Amino acid sequence: MNEKNLRRLILGAYDTTIDIIVIGLVLTMLVLLVFAFVDVLITLLHLIPTIRGGALDEGDFRDMVTSVLDVFVIIELFSTFIDYVKERRIRITRLIDVTAVFVLREMLIKVYAKAFSTNELLVLALLLLVLVIARSVTGRFPPKSRDEV
């Protein structure tokens, strides 16, 4: 077996392994998304009687808000994996979007729970600002296509 055939065999095995792993991750993310959505529905059904009675449990409501925000983060991650499956590359803009959604989730949870220090909130706000700037820069200077390189 010559070197060219060996290289082709190794790269083919690598591509197949990556495909199996990515498909497994996509299926795992899909199951996780379904479970997260079901958790939101169960929490909502649990809250409905307390809303009617006028005694809304703030802790349960906070848990539902957190669960809804978790679903958004999972959707963004799932979308990133689907883009990878379709295009065989991960766009930096997608990763920035996922990170921004996650930072916003953390900020909203901390503010809503009233369990934050000013420094924590400032650091998260600064991180969000950096992400917004990075997202703007990546939108203004898109990468060259593979044909242009």
Side-chain angles (χ1 to χ4, degrees), residues 31-147:
V31 169
L32 184 63
L33 183 60
V34 169
F35 282 145
F37 181 69
V38 168
D39 181 50
V40 168
L41 290 178
I42 289 171
T43 305
L44 181 62
L45 291 174
H46 177 72
L47 280 178
I48 289 175
T50 61
I51 292 172
R52 288 185 180 170
L56 180 64
D57 184 19
E58 190 173 323
D60 287 342
F61 187 72
R62 190 177 314 120
D63 289 342
M64 188 182 83
V65 170
T66 301
S67 296
V68 168
L69 294 172
D70 288 342
V71 169
F72 282 116
V73 170
I74 294 168
I75 288 171
E76 284 295 322
L77 284 172
F78 190 69
S79 178
T80 301
F81 277 108
I82 294 300
D83 280 352
Y84 177 79
V85 169
K86 289 179 182 175
E87 300 178 23
R88 299 291 278 165
R89 68 180 196 173
I90 296 177
R91 297 182 183 273
I92 191 73
T93 54
R94 279 303 223 176
L95 292 177
I96 292 171
D97 291 346
V98 169
T99 307
V101 168
F102 185 76
V103 169
L104 280 171
R105 173 195 171 274
E106 287 300 312
M107 288 177 74
L108 290 171
I109 289 171
K110 288 183 182 299
V111 168
Y112 188 74
K114 298 175 189 164
F116 64 90
S117 69
T118 306
N119 289 339
E120 281 180 315
L121 209 53
L122 285 174
V123 166
L124 288 173
L126 181 63
L127 178 59
L128 187 60
L129 179 64
V130 168
L131 289 169
V132 168
I133 291 170
R135 180 64 165 93
S136 299
V137 168
T138 58
R140 183 145 171 95
F141 302 105
K144 294 180 181 178
S145 69
R146 294 180 185 189
D147 298 334

